[in-house]
Amino acid sequence: MQEYNDKRVFTGGRRSMLVFNKVVSALAKAGISLMGSRILSVPGRKSGEWRSNPVNLLVVDGERYLVAPRGHVQWVRNLRVSTEGQLRIGRKVETFRAEELSDADKPDILRAYLKKWAWEVGAFFGDDVKPDSPTETLLHVAPGFPVFKVHPA
């Protein structure tokens, strides 16, 4: 059984996660979405060069969200500065504006995200955080998981 550390990264599975991300990216570039996957592109906050990562686009009650299951990673920091990015699936590119949610507004979104993708990202949330976790638990972990509402540009 693999263990995870406080940074929510598998100690023994980092290589397999990188391979998985490459596969998801290749599929999205080819126009095949794996349960909502997209390629997120955001200009770098220092260089201005576009940076890309695979992400899971979540739809809840007709609204779209990006959740960062690995926490305050580079794409999150870049999106906070630029507040705009692009989502790509195949040749279709959508420019969007991002609005970061407050921690108080995250529990329902985190719950929906875990319901859909716990099989992929659940380990980053820890053993105590599940789709059916109480709201208090989700509020407790909310500061560690940035969530952005996606608006058309």
Side-chain angles (χ1 to χ4, degrees):
M1 180 177 210
Q2 294 178 330
E3 297 179 14
Y4 58 90
N5 60 27
D6 289 341
K7 294 182 182 176
R8 298 178 184 90
V9 176
F10 278 110
T11 56
R14 184 165 172 80
R15 184 170 303 167
S16 63
M17 187 58 68
L18 291 173
V19 170
F20 182 76
N21 281 348
K22 286 184 180 187
V23 170
V24 171
S25 293
L27 289 171
K29 287 177 184 173
I32 302 167
S33 175
L34 181 64
M35 295 182 64
S37 61
R38 301 285 190 278
I39 300 296
L40 168 69
S41 297
V42 181
R45 62 191 179 282
K46 295 177 184 177
S47 69
E49 294 180 27
W50 286 85
R51 308 291 184 190
S52 298
N53 295 86
V55 294
N56 294 321
L57 182 64
L58 177 67
V59 179
V60 176
D61 297 329
E63 301 291 345
R64 300 175 316 145
Y65 300 90
L66 292 174
V67 177
R70 291 172 184 85
H72 301 271
V73 294
Q74 296 301 323
W75 72 259
V76 169
R77 294 177 183 137
N78 291 337
L79 192 54
R80 283 178 176 147
V81 171
S82 71
T83 69
E84 291 187 355
Q86 295 179 338
L87 290 170
R88 178 183 312 266
I89 185 74
R91 294 182 187 177
K92 182 180 177 188
V93 178
E94 173 195 3
T95 301
F96 69 92
R97 183 180 53 81
E99 170 191 0
E100 189 165 7
L101 269 59
S102 69
D103 292 340
D105 294 330
K106 293 179 186 177
D108 289 339
I109 304 306
L110 293 175
R111 184 173 285 112
Y113 191 82
L114 285 166
K115 281 181 183 175
K116 190 163 185 178
W117 288 294
W119 61 273
E120 178 186 350
V121 300
F124 297 112
F125 286 82
D127 288 335
D128 298 336
V129 182
K130 305 287 183 211
D132 59 353
S133 291
T135 299
E136 294 77 28
T137 300
L138 295 172
L139 281 169
H140 179 73
V141 301
F145 300 99
V147 177
F148 295 89
K149 189 171 184 180
V150 174
H151 299 280

